[in-house]
Amino acid sequence: MLGAALFMREISESLSLSHRRGLSISPRRASATGARSEIPMALSLSSLATAFSHLYHPSTSTSKPYSPPRLICLPYSSRGAARLALSASAADAPEETEPVEAEAPAEEEEVDEVVAVEDDLSGVTLRKYVKQRLPGGFAAQRITATGRRKTAVARVVLQEGTGRVFINFRDAKEYLQGNPMWMEYCKVPLVTLGFDNSYDIFVKVHGGGLSAQAQAICLGVARALVKISTANKAPLRSEGLLTRDTRIVERKKAGLKKARKRPQFSKR
């Protein structure tokens, strides 16, 4: 910096010397054209020297030092700003949502109903489900039959399904107290024909005990299967599932303890 200042000082001194010489030239010794061309050049050089002197010698100037504008190249900052702008635009942009799958066809609605039934339905929920499956009640259904055993009467409705059994708006396992023999009675006709997972059984039963009710349901299911197809009659008949069991309890007689039991005979 000092070397440059000294150099510019020497240039200014030489320019001032040449300016003085140019001004001392007389028109007699120099031609008119040479003097006219030399004086403006000296003036321009002197003004340039004074400008440089103000730049590099602020102490000699009366006004405030002139500070030239600085050109600052910020390649990395500009890149950072660009990155910030990109990140801001990405933040402002709405999040990409995953593509929504198309709605399942109507055929899967039946599967959803089956899954709902397989859940632990009980009480009011199960009653609503049975009524939904039987619009208009038991009498309005297409495949119905009646089975009897002793004093029990069962009205049976068959619908295509997965082999579930509902008795008096309750699950068969709950109604029959989990007895495997009674539960097997309800499905014997379906198992005989290989339809154990093809139909759902809806039953309204009254009278008698649980054993008689289970056997009445068995007869009602067999009769309903015959209504579906007459070809089912022969295998069911051969298994004895279409025969009404007429055995009932004999009535009590007067003077006896039961139907035939007499009081102990006493000779005296």
Side-chain angles (χ1 to χ4, degrees):
M1 196 72 179
L2 290 173
L6 294 173
F7 178 70
M8 294 306 298
R9 185 179 294 177
E10 291 178 359
I11 291 176
S12 61
E13 290 177 357
S14 61
L15 289 174
S16 62
L17 181 60
S18 62
H19 175 61
R20 291 171 187 172
R21 289 179 181 177
L23 291 175
S24 62
I25 295 174
S26 60
R28 293 180 181 179
R29 295 180 61 181
S31 62
T33 57
R36 289 174 185 174
S37 62
E38 191 175 11
I39 290 170
M41 184 180 295
L43 290 173
S44 63
L45 291 174
S46 63
S47 63
L48 182 63
T50 54
F52 276 110
S53 66
H54 283 297
L55 288 174
Y56 290 96
H57 302 287
S59 60
T60 58
S61 61
T62 57
S63 61
K64 292 183 180 181
Y66 173 76
S67 58
R70 296 182 181 180
L71 297 176
I72 302 174
C73 298
L74 300 174
Y76 294 100
S77 64
S78 61
R79 293 177 185 174
R83 290 173 185 172
L84 289 174
L86 288 175
S87 62
S89 62
D92 296 338
E95 296 182 357
E96 295 182 359
T97 56
E98 297 182 356
V100 180
E101 297 181 356
E103 295 183 357
E107 297 178 356
E108 295 186 1
E109 294 181 358
E110 298 179 359
V111 178
D112 296 339
E113 292 180 359
V114 172
V115 173
V117 174
E118 290 179 355
D119 297 338
D120 292 333
L121 298 176
S122 61
V124 179
T125 308
L126 184 57
R127 178 178 288 271
K128 288 182 178 179
Y129 173 76
V130 173
K131 289 184 176 180
Q132 182 182 359
R133 293 285 301 272
L134 302 174
F138 280 76
Q141 305 308 310
R142 187 172 61 89
I143 305 173
T144 61
T146 303
R148 293 180 176 86
R149 175 72 173 98
K150 297 183 181 180
T151 59
V153 180
R155 296 166 61 191
V156 179
V157 173
L158 292 185
Q159 284 188 359
E160 293 184 359
T162 58
R164 303 276 296 183
V165 183
F166 302 95
I167 304 175
N168 292 348
F169 303 102
R170 294 167 62 185
D171 187 67
K173 186 175 182 180
E174 177 190 355
Y175 186 84
L176 298 175
Q177 302 176 358
N179 190 309
M181 182 179 294
W182 297 341
M183 293 176 63
E184 185 179 354
Y185 278 144
C186 301
K187 284 195 169 186
V188 167
L190 294 176
V191 173
T192 303
L193 299 176
F195 295 155
D196 49 337
N197 294 325
S198 300
Y199 292 95
D200 287 340
I201 305 173
F202 299 89
V203 183
K204 261 189 177 181
V205 63
H206 65 275
L210 293 179
S211 177
Q213 289 181 358
Q215 296 179 47
I217 292 171
C218 177
L219 179 61
V221 171
R223 289 176 175 178
L225 289 172
V226 173
K227 284 187 177 181
I228 293 175
S229 175
T230 55
N232 299 331
K233 187 173 183 179
L236 293 174
R237 177 70 70 183
S238 63
E239 295 293 333
L241 298 175
L242 292 176
T243 303
R244 162 73 160 96
D245 192 349
T246 58
R247 296 176 297 172
I248 59 174
V249 177
E250 190 176 348
R251 65 173 290 272
K252 183 184 177 298
K253 275 73 173 185
L256 302 182
K257 293 186 175 180
K258 294 175 64 176
R260 299 185 182 186
K261 184 180 180 182
R262 295 177 179 272
Q264 184 177 6
F265 173 73
S266 178
K267 192 173 183 180
R268 295 178 179 89

